[in-house]
PDB file of all heavy atoms in Angstrom:
ATOM      1  N   LYS A 863      11.255  -0.502  10.336  1.00 96.00           N
ATOM      2  CA  LYS A 863      12.711  -0.712  10.304  1.00 96.00           C
ATOM      3  C   LYS A 863      13.111  -2.112   9.854  1.00 96.00           C
ATOM      4  O   LYS A 863      14.268  -2.330   9.500  1.00 96.00           O
ATOM      5  CB  LYS A 863      13.301  -0.417  11.684  1.00 96.00           C
ATOM      6  CG  LYS A 863      13.209   1.042  12.063  1.00 96.00           C
ATOM      7  CD  LYS A 863      13.740   1.294  13.450  1.00 96.00           C
ATOM      8  CE  LYS A 863      13.614   2.767  13.805  1.00 96.00           C
ATOM      9  NZ  LYS A 863      14.060   3.053  15.165  1.00 96.00           N
ATOM     10  N   PHE A 864      12.191  -3.066   9.876  1.00 97.00           N
ATOM     11  CA  PHE A 864      12.520  -4.418   9.418  1.00 97.00           C
ATOM     12  C   PHE A 864      12.298  -4.604   7.920  1.00 97.00           C
ATOM     13  O   PHE A 864      12.802  -5.554   7.332  1.00 97.00           O
ATOM     14  CB  PHE A 864      11.699  -5.460  10.179  1.00 97.00           C
ATOM     15  CG  PHE A 864      12.189  -5.752  11.570  1.00 97.00           C
ATOM     16  CD1 PHE A 864      11.477  -6.600  12.387  1.00 97.00           C
ATOM     17  CD2 PHE A 864      13.350  -5.201  12.067  1.00 97.00           C
ATOM     18  CE1 PHE A 864      11.910  -6.890  13.678  1.00 97.00           C
ATOM     19  CE2 PHE A 864      13.804  -5.479  13.348  1.00 97.00           C
ATOM     20  CZ  PHE A 864      13.074  -6.327  14.156  1.00 97.00           C
ATOM     21  N   ASP A 865      11.504  -3.724   7.287  1.00 98.00           N
ATOM     22  CA  ASP A 865      11.307  -3.830   5.844  1.00 98.00           C
ATOM     23  C   ASP A 865      12.641  -3.593   5.154  1.00 98.00           C
ATOM     24  O   ASP A 865      13.452  -2.775   5.597  1.00 98.00           O
ATOM     25  CB  ASP A 865      10.256  -2.825   5.367  1.00 98.00           C
ATOM     26  CG  ASP A 865       8.867  -3.155   5.868  1.00 98.00           C
ATOM     27  OD1 ASP A 865       8.536  -4.348   5.972  1.00 98.00           O
ATOM     28  OD2 ASP A 865       8.107  -2.214   6.156  1.00 98.00           O
ATOM     29  N   ARG A 866      12.878  -4.302   4.072  1.00 98.00           N
ATOM     30  CA  ARG A 866      14.190  -4.277   3.411  1.00 98.00           C
ATOM     31  C   ARG A 866      14.094  -3.591   2.061  1.00 98.00           C
ATOM     32  O   ARG A 866      13.185  -3.878   1.275  1.00 98.00           O
ATOM     33  CB  ARG A 866      14.663  -5.729   3.244  1.00 98.00           C
ATOM     34  CG  ARG A 866      15.980  -5.901   2.577  1.00 98.00           C
ATOM     35  CD  ARG A 866      17.127  -5.978   3.576  1.00 98.00           C
ATOM     36  NE  ARG A 866      18.385  -5.949   2.866  1.00 98.00           N
ATOM     37  CZ  ARG A 866      19.045  -7.022   2.456  1.00 98.00           C
ATOM     38  NH1 ARG A 866      18.584  -8.220   2.697  1.00 98.00           N
ATOM     39  NH2 ARG A 866      20.189  -6.893   1.805  1.00 98.00           N
ATOM     40  N   GLU A 867      14.998  -2.678   1.784  1.00 98.00           N
ATOM     41  CA  GLU A 867      15.023  -1.932   0.532  1.00 98.00           C
ATOM     42  C   GLU A 867      16.246  -2.339  -0.286  1.00 98.00           C
ATOM     43  O   GLU A 867      17.358  -2.410   0.242  1.00 98.00           O
ATOM     44  CB  GLU A 867      15.063  -0.430   0.844  1.00 98.00           C
ATOM     45  CG  GLU A 867      14.856   0.458  -0.349  1.00 98.00           C
ATOM     46  CD  GLU A 867      14.679   1.924   0.052  1.00 98.00           C
ATOM     47  OE1 GLU A 867      14.295   2.211   1.206  1.00 98.00           O
ATOM     48  OE2 GLU A 867      14.930   2.775  -0.815  1.00 98.00           O
ATOM     49  N   PHE A 868      16.015  -2.608  -1.571  1.00 98.00           N
ATOM     50  CA  PHE A 868      17.084  -3.037  -2.488  1.00 98.00           C
ATOM     51  C   PHE A 868      17.197  -2.038  -3.630  1.00 98.00           C
ATOM     52  O   PHE A 868      16.209  -1.780  -4.327  1.00 98.00           O
ATOM     53  CB  PHE A 868      16.771  -4.417  -3.087  1.00 98.00           C
ATOM     54  CG  PHE A 868      16.698  -5.521  -2.086  1.00 98.00           C
ATOM     55  CD1 PHE A 868      15.523  -5.764  -1.368  1.00 98.00           C
ATOM     56  CD2 PHE A 868      17.786  -6.345  -1.838  1.00 98.00           C
ATOM     57  CE1 PHE A 868      15.441  -6.792  -0.441  1.00 98.00           C
ATOM     58  CE2 PHE A 868      17.713  -7.376  -0.912  1.00 98.00           C
ATOM     59  CZ  PHE A 868      16.540  -7.589  -0.215  1.00 98.00           C
ATOM     60  N   THR A 869      18.392  -1.512  -3.847  1.00 98.00           N
ATOM     61  CA  THR A 869      18.628  -0.637  -4.995  1.00 98.00           C
ATOM     62  C   THR A 869      18.662  -1.499  -6.258  1.00 98.00           C
ATOM     63  O   THR A 869      18.862  -2.721  -6.181  1.00 98.00           O
ATOM     64  CB  THR A 869      19.961   0.112  -4.861  1.00 98.00           C
ATOM     65  OG1 THR A 869      21.030  -0.856  -4.938  1.00 98.00           O
ATOM     66  CG2 THR A 869      20.037   0.909  -3.568  1.00 98.00           C
ATOM     67  N   PRO A 870      18.522  -0.880  -7.434  1.00 97.00           N
ATOM     68  CA  PRO A 870      18.644  -1.651  -8.671  1.00 97.00           C
ATOM     69  C   PRO A 870      19.984  -2.395  -8.777  1.00 97.00           C
ATOM     70  O   PRO A 870      20.035  -3.534  -9.250  1.00 97.00           O
ATOM     71  CB  PRO A 870      18.500  -0.594  -9.769  1.00 97.00           C
ATOM     72  CG  PRO A 870      17.646   0.465  -9.140  1.00 97.00           C
ATOM     73  CD  PRO A 870      18.081   0.496  -7.701  1.00 97.00           C
ATOM     74  N   ASP A 871      21.059  -1.778  -8.319  1.00 98.00           N
ATOM     75  CA  ASP A 871      22.371  -2.437  -8.359  1.00 98.00           C
ATOM     76  C   ASP A 871      22.405  -3.667  -7.442  1.00 98.00           C
ATOM     77  O   ASP A 871      22.969  -4.701  -7.802  1.00 98.00           O
ATOM     78  CB  ASP A 871      23.488  -1.465  -7.962  1.00 98.00           C
ATOM     79  CG  ASP A 871      23.747  -0.398  -9.016  1.00 98.00           C
ATOM     80  OD1 ASP A 871      23.336  -0.594 -10.184  1.00 98.00           O
ATOM     81  OD2 ASP A 871      24.355   0.634  -8.677  1.00 98.00           O
ATOM     82  N   GLN A 872      21.809  -3.542  -6.269  1.00 98.00           N
ATOM     83  CA  GLN A 872      21.752  -4.684  -5.352  1.00 98.00           C
ATOM     84  C   GLN A 872      20.903  -5.808  -5.943  1.00 98.00           C
ATOM     85  O   GLN A 872      21.240  -6.987  -5.810  1.00 98.00           O
ATOM     86  CB  GLN A 872      21.186  -4.250  -3.992  1.00 98.00           C
ATOM     87  CG  GLN A 872      22.119  -3.372  -3.202  1.00 98.00           C
ATOM     88  CD  GLN A 872      21.454  -2.775  -1.971  1.00 98.00           C
ATOM     89  OE1 GLN A 872      20.270  -2.420  -1.992  1.00 98.00           O
ATOM     90  NE2 GLN A 872      22.211  -2.662  -0.890  1.00 98.00           N
ATOM     91  N   TYR A 873      19.823  -5.435  -6.587  1.00 98.00           N
ATOM     92  CA  TYR A 873      18.949  -6.430  -7.215  1.00 98.00           C
ATOM     93  C   TYR A 873      19.697  -7.197  -8.307  1.00 98.00           C
ATOM     94  O   TYR A 873      19.591  -8.419  -8.406  1.00 98.00           O
ATOM     95  CB  TYR A 873      17.705  -5.746  -7.790  1.00 98.00           C
ATOM     96  CG  TYR A 873      16.840  -6.654  -8.616  1.00 98.00           C
ATOM     97  CD1 TYR A 873      15.935  -7.521  -8.004  1.00 98.00           C
ATOM     98  CD2 TYR A 873      16.930  -6.665 -10.008  1.00 98.00           C
ATOM     99  CE1 TYR A 873      15.140  -8.366  -8.755  1.00 98.00           C
ATOM    100  CE2 TYR A 873      16.143  -7.513 -10.759  1.00 98.00           C
ATOM    101  CZ  TYR A 873      15.253  -8.359 -10.134  1.00 98.00           C
ATOM    102  OH  TYR A 873      14.481  -9.200 -10.884  1.00 98.00           O
ATOM    103  N   GLU A 874      20.442  -6.487  -9.122  1.00 98.00           N
ATOM    104  CA  GLU A 874      21.116  -7.094 -10.278  1.00 98.00           C
ATOM    105  C   GLU A 874      22.102  -8.193  -9.901  1.00 98.00           C
ATOM    106  O   GLU A 874      22.299  -9.136 -10.660  1.00 98.00           O
ATOM    107  CB  GLU A 874      21.824  -6.024 -11.114  1.00 98.00           C
ATOM    108  CG  GLU A 874      20.886  -5.222 -11.985  1.00 98.00           C
ATOM    109  CD  GLU A 874      19.993  -6.081 -12.878  1.00 98.00           C
ATOM    110  OE1 GLU A 874      20.475  -7.057 -13.485  1.00 98.00           O
ATOM    111  OE2 GLU A 874      18.791  -5.779 -12.946  1.00 98.00           O
ATOM    112  N   VAL A 875      22.731  -8.110  -8.738  1.00 98.00           N
ATOM    113  CA  VAL A 875      23.737  -9.106  -8.366  1.00 98.00           C
ATOM    114  C   VAL A 875      23.144 -10.283  -7.572  1.00 98.00           C
ATOM    115  O   VAL A 875      23.872 -11.200  -7.186  1.00 98.00           O
ATOM    116  CB  VAL A 875      24.913  -8.466  -7.578  1.00 98.00           C
ATOM    117  CG1 VAL A 875      25.629  -7.435  -8.442  1.00 98.00           C
ATOM    118  CG2 VAL A 875      24.441  -7.848  -6.268  1.00 98.00           C
ATOM    119  N   LEU A 876      21.843 -10.255  -7.344  1.00 98.00           N
ATOM    120  CA  LEU A 876      21.212 -11.351  -6.605  1.00 98.00           C
ATOM    121  C   LEU A 876      21.072 -12.602  -7.470  1.00 98.00           C
ATOM    122  O   LEU A 876      20.945 -12.520  -8.697  1.00 98.00           O
ATOM    123  CB  LEU A 876      19.820 -10.930  -6.120  1.00 98.00           C
ATOM    124  CG  LEU A 876      19.765  -9.883  -5.017  1.00 98.00           C
ATOM    125  CD1 LEU A 876      18.320  -9.447  -4.780  1.00 98.00           C
ATOM    126  CD2 LEU A 876      20.378 -10.412  -3.731  1.00 98.00           C
TER     127      LEU A 876
END
Side-chain angles (χ1 to χ4, degrees):
K863 293 177 181 177
F864 282 175
D865 292 324
R866 179 93 188 268
E867 190 171 337
F868 297 84
T869 67
D871 289 341
Q872 290 171 323
Y873 172 81
E874 283 307 316
V875 298
L876 290 173

